[in-house]
Amino acid sequence: MPAYAAQYWRQEEKKYVLPDQIIEAIDSCETEAHTKKHLKQFFMTVGLQDLSEMDYPLREAYREYLTFHLHLKNITPHLRAYDRIKQAYIREQMTTLSGRQKCQWRLEEKVLFIPYHSDQKLAMEFDTVRHKANMVWDFTQPAPWHLKEQIFTTLNAILQESCRALKRSEHLTGLQNLYRFCVQNDIADIETIDAAQEQAFIHYLDSDIASDTKSQQRLMTALNICRKTVFLQNPEINWNANVWYVERLNLPKHRLNPSSSVTTISFKEISMPENRAYAKEYMKYQVGITGQAFGTIFT
């Protein structure tokens, strides 16, 4: 597979003949003749050998090729053609077992692009917003794998949300900002974020995010979504988390008050790590051993 870089388009066109599979895919794309011509020229330049090599970094290289080499003003139709070819390839691959394994949407050290999701029905829900930044998820960033797993888990949960497109987009933007904040501040675990770090995230949203993005408060929701999603989906209860969600504690019905509005136990406000650890051990004992009603324990 070619090593993609933005400077590829600056190279002289190679003496390279495109494989028939690639030519057929371009020719079958419903787009203008000149758009097909530009795609073929670019693919020859980078020496594309297989449609599986089409990814988001190559798409960005193509953007630069169109902008700085061909000096085109409107590159949207050309990027759309690139996406349509990639999406058609994914749909075809998903009809076979080996193809499904190849195109599976999974966490890897790579850049994931939501329109290239293996579930193309879901991917097409984002077709009109392909150009937005929250479609691109860079898991090559220097961050702990555990953090990336938590972000990826939450990303999948948001993609599956049955809510308005605008609200889902806000959640994606908020999660992306949370991911960026954690990387910049060396936060390795979403579940251990405390009140001070939470305030730092609020300040980050207030000072570092462009003024035309959604409100700070709505973007902040992503942290709560991430905490809850990760806590509920952990194979085992994470007693070290700074926020526990009652529904995951597996308490019998007789210990719960159906009219109670208490859904979480929060330790993030305890500033001293040692005291916080003692509080968690005490609550773990009360929840798991004593058999008391949860309302009593919480009080």
PDB file of all heavy atoms in Angstrom, residues 1-4 8 46-50 52-58 110:
ATOM      1  N   MET A   1       0.848  -1.199   0.000  1.00  0.00           N
ATOM      2  CA  MET A   1       0.000   0.000   0.000  1.00  0.00           C
ATOM      3  C   MET A   1       0.884   1.250   0.000  1.00  0.00           C
ATOM      4  O   MET A   1       1.816   1.347   0.780  1.00  0.00           O
ATOM      5  CB  MET A   1      -0.899   0.001   1.242  1.00  0.00           C
ATOM      6  CG  MET A   1      -1.777   1.221   1.359  1.00  0.00           C
ATOM      7  SD  MET A   1      -2.896   1.078   2.782  1.00  0.00           S
ATOM      8  CE  MET A   1      -3.733   2.650   2.677  1.00  0.00           C
ATOM      9  N   PRO A   2       0.603   2.209  -0.864  1.00  0.00           N
ATOM     10  CA  PRO A   2       1.429   3.420  -0.920  1.00  0.00           C
ATOM     11  C   PRO A   2       1.404   4.173   0.397  1.00  0.00           C
ATOM     12  O   PRO A   2       0.418   4.173   1.112  1.00  0.00           O
ATOM     13  CB  PRO A   2       0.779   4.250  -2.035  1.00  0.00           C
ATOM     14  CG  PRO A   2      -0.014   3.278  -2.825  1.00  0.00           C
ATOM     15  CD  PRO A   2      -0.474   2.227  -1.860  1.00  0.00           C
ATOM     16  N   ALA A   3       2.497   4.819   0.726  1.00  0.00           N
ATOM     17  CA  ALA A   3       2.543   5.676   1.917  1.00  0.00           C
ATOM     18  C   ALA A   3       2.017   7.034   1.513  1.00  0.00           C
ATOM     19  O   ALA A   3       2.648   7.769   0.770  1.00  0.00           O
ATOM     20  CB  ALA A   3       3.975   5.776   2.428  1.00  0.00           C
ATOM     21  N   TYR A   4       0.832   7.388   2.014  1.00  0.00           N
ATOM     22  CA  TYR A   4       0.180   8.610   1.585  1.00  0.00           C
ATOM     23  C   TYR A   4       0.729   9.824   2.319  1.00  0.00           C
ATOM     24  O   TYR A   4       1.014   9.770   3.501  1.00  0.00           O
ATOM     25  CB  TYR A   4      -1.328   8.516   1.840  1.00  0.00           C
ATOM     26  CG  TYR A   4      -1.986   7.402   1.079  1.00  0.00           C
ATOM     27  CD1 TYR A   4      -2.868   6.542   1.719  1.00  0.00           C
ATOM     28  CD2 TYR A   4      -1.702   7.195  -0.252  1.00  0.00           C
ATOM     29  CE1 TYR A   4      -3.460   5.515   1.044  1.00  0.00           C
ATOM     30  CE2 TYR A   4      -2.292   6.155  -0.939  1.00  0.00           C
ATOM     31  CZ  TYR A   4      -3.178   5.313  -0.291  1.00  0.00           C
ATOM     32  OH  TYR A   4      -3.759   4.285  -0.971  1.00  0.00           O
ATOM     33  N   TYR A   8       2.045  14.171  -2.244  1.00  0.00           N
ATOM     34  CA  TYR A   8       2.010  13.256  -3.372  1.00  0.00           C
ATOM     35  C   TYR A   8       1.639  13.964  -4.673  1.00  0.00           C
ATOM     36  O   TYR A   8       2.172  13.679  -5.736  1.00  0.00           O
ATOM     37  CB  TYR A   8       1.003  12.123  -3.126  1.00  0.00           C
ATOM     38  CG  TYR A   8       1.666  10.831  -2.719  1.00  0.00           C
ATOM     39  CD1 TYR A   8       1.555  10.356  -1.422  1.00  0.00           C
ATOM     40  CD2 TYR A   8       2.421  10.098  -3.624  1.00  0.00           C
ATOM     41  CE1 TYR A   8       2.162   9.176  -1.033  1.00  0.00           C
ATOM     42  CE2 TYR A   8       3.036   8.916  -3.241  1.00  0.00           C
ATOM     43  CZ  TYR A   8       2.900   8.463  -1.959  1.00  0.00           C
ATOM     44  OH  TYR A   8       3.512   7.311  -1.577  1.00  0.00           O
ATOM     45  N   VAL A  46      -0.378   8.520  -7.512  1.00  0.00           N
ATOM     46  CA  VAL A  46      -0.023   7.877  -6.239  1.00  0.00           C
ATOM     47  C   VAL A  46       0.206   6.384  -6.394  1.00  0.00           C
ATOM     48  O   VAL A  46       0.583   5.705  -5.434  1.00  0.00           O
ATOM     49  CB  VAL A  46      -1.109   8.127  -5.168  1.00  0.00           C
ATOM     50  CG1 VAL A  46      -1.264   9.607  -4.904  1.00  0.00           C
ATOM     51  CG2 VAL A  46      -2.439   7.499  -5.557  1.00  0.00           C
ATOM     52  N   GLY A  47      -0.020   5.866  -7.590  1.00  0.00           N
ATOM     53  CA  GLY A  47       0.210   4.443  -7.815  1.00  0.00           C
ATOM     54  C   GLY A  47      -0.783   3.554  -7.104  1.00  0.00           C
ATOM     55  O   GLY A  47      -0.406   2.502  -6.557  1.00  0.00           O
ATOM     56  N   LEU A  48      -2.051   3.935  -7.106  1.00  0.00           N
ATOM     57  CA  LEU A  48      -3.076   3.140  -6.425  1.00  0.00           C
ATOM     58  C   LEU A  48      -3.188   1.762  -7.080  1.00  0.00           C
ATOM     59  O   LEU A  48      -3.321   1.647  -8.295  1.00  0.00           O
ATOM     60  CB  LEU A  48      -4.427   3.861  -6.503  1.00  0.00           C
ATOM     61  CG  LEU A  48      -5.509   3.313  -5.571  1.00  0.00           C
ATOM     62  CD1 LEU A  48      -5.204   3.716  -4.130  1.00  0.00           C
ATOM     63  CD2 LEU A  48      -6.892   3.830  -5.965  1.00  0.00           C
ATOM     64  N   GLN A  49      -3.151   0.737  -6.260  1.00  0.00           N
ATOM     65  CA  GLN A  49      -3.176  -0.624  -6.774  1.00  0.00           C
ATOM     66  C   GLN A  49      -4.475  -1.355  -6.500  1.00  0.00           C
ATOM     67  O   GLN A  49      -4.806  -2.322  -7.181  1.00  0.00           O
ATOM     68  CB  GLN A  49      -2.013  -1.415  -6.168  1.00  0.00           C
ATOM     69  CG  GLN A  49      -0.647  -0.824  -6.471  1.00  0.00           C
ATOM     70  CD  GLN A  49       0.456  -1.517  -5.703  1.00  0.00           C
ATOM     71  OE1 GLN A  49       0.315  -2.656  -5.265  1.00  0.00           O
ATOM     72  NE2 GLN A  49       1.578  -0.833  -5.531  1.00  0.00           N
ATOM     73  N   ASP A  50      -5.210  -0.890  -5.479  1.00  0.00           N
ATOM     74  CA  ASP A  50      -6.447  -1.580  -5.116  1.00  0.00           C
ATOM     75  C   ASP A  50      -7.385  -0.583  -4.447  1.00  0.00           C
ATOM     76  O   ASP A  50      -6.939   0.336  -3.756  1.00  0.00           O
ATOM     77  CB  ASP A  50      -6.146  -2.744  -4.161  1.00  0.00           C
ATOM     78  CG  ASP A  50      -7.328  -3.663  -3.982  1.00  0.00           C
ATOM     79  OD1 ASP A  50      -7.459  -4.611  -4.777  1.00  0.00           O
ATOM     80  OD2 ASP A  50      -8.126  -3.427  -3.057  1.00  0.00           O
ATOM     81  N   SER A  52      -9.128  -0.965  -1.941  1.00  0.00           N
ATOM     82  CA  SER A  52      -9.030  -1.037  -0.474  1.00  0.00           C
ATOM     83  C   SER A  52      -8.070   0.014   0.073  1.00  0.00           C
ATOM     84  O   SER A  52      -8.111   0.348   1.257  1.00  0.00           O
ATOM     85  CB  SER A  52      -8.566  -2.431  -0.041  1.00  0.00           C
ATOM     86  OG  SER A  52      -7.263  -2.700  -0.533  1.00  0.00           O
ATOM     87  N   GLU A  53      -7.206   0.563  -0.790  1.00  0.00           N
ATOM     88  CA  GLU A  53      -6.235   1.567  -0.361  1.00  0.00           C
ATOM     89  C   GLU A  53      -6.849   2.967  -0.280  1.00  0.00           C
ATOM     90  O   GLU A  53      -6.198   3.901   0.205  1.00  0.00           O
ATOM     91  CB  GLU A  53      -5.044   1.575  -1.317  1.00  0.00           C
ATOM     92  CG  GLU A  53      -4.283   0.263  -1.319  1.00  0.00           C
ATOM     93  CD  GLU A  53      -3.255   0.195  -2.428  1.00  0.00           C
ATOM     94  OE1 GLU A  53      -3.154   1.165  -3.210  1.00  0.00           O
ATOM     95  OE2 GLU A  53      -2.560  -0.823  -2.521  1.00  0.00           O
ATOM     96  N   MET A  54      -8.079   3.119  -0.724  1.00  0.00           N
ATOM     97  CA  MET A  54      -8.754   4.413  -0.611  1.00  0.00           C
ATOM     98  C   MET A  54      -9.147   4.630   0.851  1.00  0.00           C
ATOM     99  O   MET A  54      -9.932   3.866   1.407  1.00  0.00           O
ATOM    100  CB  MET A  54      -9.992   4.463  -1.506  1.00  0.00           C
ATOM    101  CG  MET A  54      -9.709   4.381  -2.991  1.00  0.00           C
ATOM    102  SD  MET A  54     -11.234   4.393  -3.996  1.00  0.00           S
ATOM    103  CE  MET A  54     -11.848   6.067  -3.675  1.00  0.00           C
ATOM    104  N   ASP A  55      -8.601   5.643   1.472  1.00  0.00           N
ATOM    105  CA  ASP A  55      -8.925   5.953   2.856  1.00  0.00           C
ATOM    106  C   ASP A  55      -8.990   7.465   3.033  1.00  0.00           C
ATOM    107  O   ASP A  55      -8.858   8.221   2.067  1.00  0.00           O
ATOM    108  CB  ASP A  55      -7.919   5.313   3.816  1.00  0.00           C
ATOM    109  CG  ASP A  55      -6.479   5.731   3.516  1.00  0.00           C
ATOM    110  OD1 ASP A  55      -6.270   6.681   2.728  1.00  0.00           O
ATOM    111  OD2 ASP A  55      -5.554   5.107   4.073  1.00  0.00           O
ATOM    112  N   TYR A  56      -9.178   7.892   4.265  1.00  0.00           N
ATOM    113  CA  TYR A  56      -9.325   9.328   4.489  1.00  0.00           C
ATOM    114  C   TYR A  56      -8.042  10.110   4.239  1.00  0.00           C
ATOM    115  O   TYR A  56      -8.096  11.180   3.622  1.00  0.00           O
ATOM    116  CB  TYR A  56      -9.842   9.601   5.909  1.00  0.00           C
ATOM    117  CG  TYR A  56     -10.120  11.067   6.128  1.00  0.00           C
ATOM    118  CD1 TYR A  56     -11.286  11.656   5.637  1.00  0.00           C
ATOM    119  CD2 TYR A  56      -9.199  11.881   6.785  1.00  0.00           C
ATOM    120  CE1 TYR A  56     -11.536  13.002   5.795  1.00  0.00           C
ATOM    121  CE2 TYR A  56      -9.440  13.241   6.948  1.00  0.00           C
ATOM    122  CZ  TYR A  56     -10.613  13.791   6.451  1.00  0.00           C
ATOM    123  OH  TYR A  56     -10.839  15.138   6.595  1.00  0.00           O
ATOM    124  N   PRO A  57      -6.848   9.632   4.660  1.00  0.00           N
ATOM    125  CA  PRO A  57      -5.625  10.377   4.337  1.00  0.00           C
ATOM    126  C   PRO A  57      -5.438  10.563   2.830  1.00  0.00           C
ATOM    127  O   PRO A  57      -4.986  11.626   2.385  1.00  0.00           O
ATOM    128  CB  PRO A  57      -4.520   9.514   4.948  1.00  0.00           C
ATOM    129  CG  PRO A  57      -5.189   8.837   6.097  1.00  0.00           C
ATOM    130  CD  PRO A  57      -6.571   8.522   5.595  1.00  0.00           C
ATOM    131  N   LEU A  58      -5.772   9.542   2.044  1.00  0.00           N
ATOM    132  CA  LEU A  58      -5.657   9.682   0.594  1.00  0.00           C
ATOM    133  C   LEU A  58      -6.685  10.693   0.084  1.00  0.00           C
ATOM    134  O   LEU A  58      -6.411  11.450  -0.848  1.00  0.00           O
ATOM    135  CB  LEU A  58      -5.860   8.334  -0.094  1.00  0.00           C
ATOM    136  CG  LEU A  58      -5.698   8.342  -1.614  1.00  0.00           C
ATOM    137  CD1 LEU A  58      -4.275   8.759  -1.995  1.00  0.00           C
ATOM    138  CD2 LEU A  58      -6.038   6.987  -2.221  1.00  0.00           C
ATOM    139  N   LYS A 110      -5.501   4.487  13.199  1.00  0.00           N
ATOM    140  CA  LYS A 110      -5.730   5.079  11.889  1.00  0.00           C
ATOM    141  C   LYS A 110      -6.789   6.166  12.010  1.00  0.00           C
ATOM    142  O   LYS A 110      -7.380   6.361  13.079  1.00  0.00           O
ATOM    143  CB  LYS A 110      -6.159   4.016  10.882  1.00  0.00           C
ATOM    144  CG  LYS A 110      -7.455   3.315  11.260  1.00  0.00           C
ATOM    145  CD  LYS A 110      -7.762   2.133  10.344  1.00  0.00           C
ATOM    146  CE  LYS A 110      -8.094   2.553   8.938  1.00  0.00           C
ATOM    147  NZ  LYS A 110      -8.532   1.402   8.095  1.00  0.00           N
TER     148      LYS A 110
END
